[in-house]
Amino acid sequence: MAASCLIMAASAACTNSGDKYVINGQVEGLEDGTVVALIPMSHDNDSALAEATVQDGKFKLTGVASEPICARVSVKDTYGGPFVVLENKEYALSGKVERGGEVPAGAVYNWDVKVTGSPLTDKLAEFDARHDSLDILYKAFHERVDGSIQKMHSLKGKELEAFKLTDEYKAIVDGEKEFFDTVEKTITGMINENKETFWGPLLAIKYLSYFDKSQRKLFNSFSEDVQKSYYGKKMRAELWPAEAAADKVDKFVLKGEDGKEYTFAQLAEGKKYVLLDFWASWCGPCRKEIPNVKAQYQLYKDKGFEVVSISIDKDEAAWKKAVAEEKLEWPNFLSREVADMFKVSAVPTVYLLDATGKIIADGDETRGEGLATTLAGLFK
């Protein structure tokens, strides 16, 4: 037996015994001491499944995959890196890594690497190739119409209205519709082809940046086993947030700038309804919505309406600056943890709760005219 292991040293069957995954990384460009993390791919802010420290360009990430999970290999607390689908095999990851630019949420690294040893990861690469083909179509579309779009943006008033009656403008509209129809057909096609396997909800989460109620029909078309898979459960939690958050309201605690801790019960005391507004200082749509929330707050604050804003900012100073700039009158907190409890994958995300903590409205019913209509019905 010992001789067999020596002879088959390169085989995952011997070195790994099929009871765990091992990702052996060998890369250029990362300094010794750099921490590499394995982060689950999802719309949630999930914790790392494994971490490893780079030494002499090498690192090793290990763990047990009870079911397939797509995860990104990345420098800890940064963006960028290859996706792998975890299965209990031995992987090899090799290539170069370079520090790229910055985004509001942190640094970006460019990984030019190859991953071998995982059939599921190879399958994911096939799906990604189909998805990436959309980038080629997008580029071709813009090469055709960018000149017309620039021309349109230079026009105003009657000249703009006249342009919208031309074949040139029609080509922009038709081309855009054709592109987005192709995007929808390609993505939904891949998902529908895999409704009987874990790939269905995995691909939905990977290629759709957010879900709304229209995707409930898609979820219900998955088999029961698929709905109960890792990504099936994550997809359900996003599609039915009230269900997912039903037991969370009594558990969360928010710490104020004064150092005091506040429960939902304390924030809702004496109120009829509480708007939980998850936002960030860097989120343009969030800040654009604030005047609307202020208007509704003035109408109903003396009738039992409260607003609680919870920021997901990483930069506390930026959050405080935004709160001051917007002159927010209601309670404000900074808490990624509470946002995670409520499955906040994008901001703005807004829930309207009654005083008991039951979610009674979300989505379009809590933003813009929808919020005004919802509150008018409740307070009539």
Side-chain angles (χ1 to χ4, degrees):
M1 183 64 180
S4 296
C5 280
L6 288 173
I7 293 172
M8 300 175 62
S11 169
C14 183
T15 60
N16 199 25
S17 300
D19 59 353
K20 63 180 179 180
Y21 59 81
V22 179
I23 301 175
N24 293 303
Q26 184 162 357
V27 296
E28 299 177 21
L30 293 181
E31 297 180 356
D32 287 355
T34 300
V35 177
V36 175
L38 188 62
I39 309 295
M41 183 281 299
S42 79
H43 294 167
D44 301 325
N45 187 37
D46 291 327
S47 299
L49 297 171
E51 293 184 358
T53 301
V54 176
Q55 185 65 42
D56 296 329
K58 298 179 181 180
F59 61 87
K60 180 179 290 188
L61 295 160
T62 65
V64 176
S66 57
E67 60 180 304
I69 296 176
C70 180
R72 186 191 290 276
V73 180
S74 63
V75 175
K76 187 177 180 179
D77 296 330
T78 70
Y79 296 88
F83 283 110
V84 298
V85 181
L86 298 177
E87 52 186 321
N88 293 324
K89 295 181 178 293
E90 189 157 346
Y91 304 59
L93 184 156
S94 59
K96 297 181 179 180
V97 184
E98 294 182 349
R99 175 71 178 263
E102 296 276 340
V103 295
V108 178
Y109 279 79
N110 301 316
W111 292 64
D112 181 13
V113 297
K114 183 178 181 180
V115 179
T116 59
S118 166
L120 292 182
T121 301
D122 294 340
K123 182 67 175 178
L124 179 66
E126 294 175 11
F127 288 123
D128 282 344
R130 291 172 63 180
H131 181 265
D132 292 346
S133 67
L134 298 172
D135 292 337
I136 298 174
L137 292 179
Y138 183 77
K139 183 178 179 180
F141 163 65
H142 274 279
E143 286 177 349
R144 292 198 310 271
V145 302
D146 269 357
S148 297
I149 292 175
Q150 290 175 14
K151 176 180 177 180
M152 180 178 66
H153 288 165
S154 69
L155 302 175
K156 295 180 181 180
K158 292 182 179 180
E159 289 184 339
L160 178 59
E161 293 305 314
F163 179 78
K164 289 183 178 180
L165 298 175
T166 65
D167 289 340
E168 189 174 0
Y169 177 75
K170 186 175 183 295
I172 297 174
V173 175
D174 291 346
E176 188 174 58
K177 183 180 184 301
E178 180 183 5
F179 170 72
F180 284 109
D181 285 349
T182 302
V183 170
E184 182 177 0
K185 183 178 179 180
T186 300
I187 294 175
T188 57
M190 287 191 287
I191 296 169
N192 286 329
E193 289 166 13
N194 293 277
K195 290 193 296 187
E196 300 301 318
T197 74
F198 71 90
W199 284 112
L202 187 159
L203 295 176
I205 288 175
K206 191 170 193 292
Y207 298 140
L208 300 173
S209 57
Y210 66 92
F211 297 128
D212 57 38
K213 293 177 182 178
S214 67
Q215 275 98 28
R216 288 181 176 179
K217 183 178 180 181
L218 172 63
F219 178 84
N220 287 330
S221 71
F222 294 149
S223 68
E224 184 177 352
D225 286 343
V226 171
Q227 290 182 9
K228 293 180 179 178
S229 69
Y230 178 85
Y231 285 107
K233 288 185 284 190
K234 281 189 169 290
M235 189 172 176
R236 183 184 184 91
E238 286 190 63
L239 288 171
W240 285 273
E243 177 183 282
D247 63 341
K248 303 294 192 301
V249 174
D250 291 337
K251 297 177 181 178
F252 78 70
V253 175
L254 291 163
K255 182 174 290 187
E257 291 186 66
D258 56 7
K260 294 181 180 179
E261 294 185 340
Y262 297 84
T263 64
F264 177 80
Q266 290 172 316
L267 294 168
E269 186 175 359
K271 307 297 180 181
K272 294 180 180 179
Y273 305 102
V274 177
L275 193 75
L276 284 188
D277 180 14
F278 294 95
W279 72 300
S281 65
W282 43 262
C283 170
C286 300
R287 299 184 71 161
K288 186 177 180 180
E289 179 69 10
I290 288 174
N292 176 56
V293 178
K294 281 184 175 181
Q296 300 307 311
Y297 184 69
Q298 292 302 321
L299 284 174
Y300 300 111
K301 67 178 181 178
D302 295 329
K303 297 181 181 181
F305 178 54
E306 180 64 286
V307 178
V308 175
S309 288
I310 303 173
S311 171
I312 63 168
D313 274 284
K314 289 186 176 181
D315 186 338
E316 184 174 353
W319 163 63
K320 289 181 178 179
K321 182 174 181 287
V323 170
E325 289 174 345
E326 299 292 352
K327 298 180 174 61
L328 302 184
E329 304 174 45
W330 49 77
N332 287 273
F333 301 93
L334 184 68
S335 179
R336 178 74 248 192
E337 293 74 21
V338 173
D340 290 343
M341 292 174 70
F342 280 81
K343 301 296 180 181
V344 175
S345 57
V347 288
T349 293
V350 187
Y351 298 120
L352 183 65
L353 290 71
D354 65 18
T356 69
K358 178 182 178 182
I359 296 177
I360 58 175
D362 65 349
D364 291 340
E365 296 176 344
T366 58
R367 296 180 62 189
E369 289 298 320
L371 177 60
T373 301
T374 300
L375 293 177
L378 292 170
F379 285 105
K380 67 180 178 180

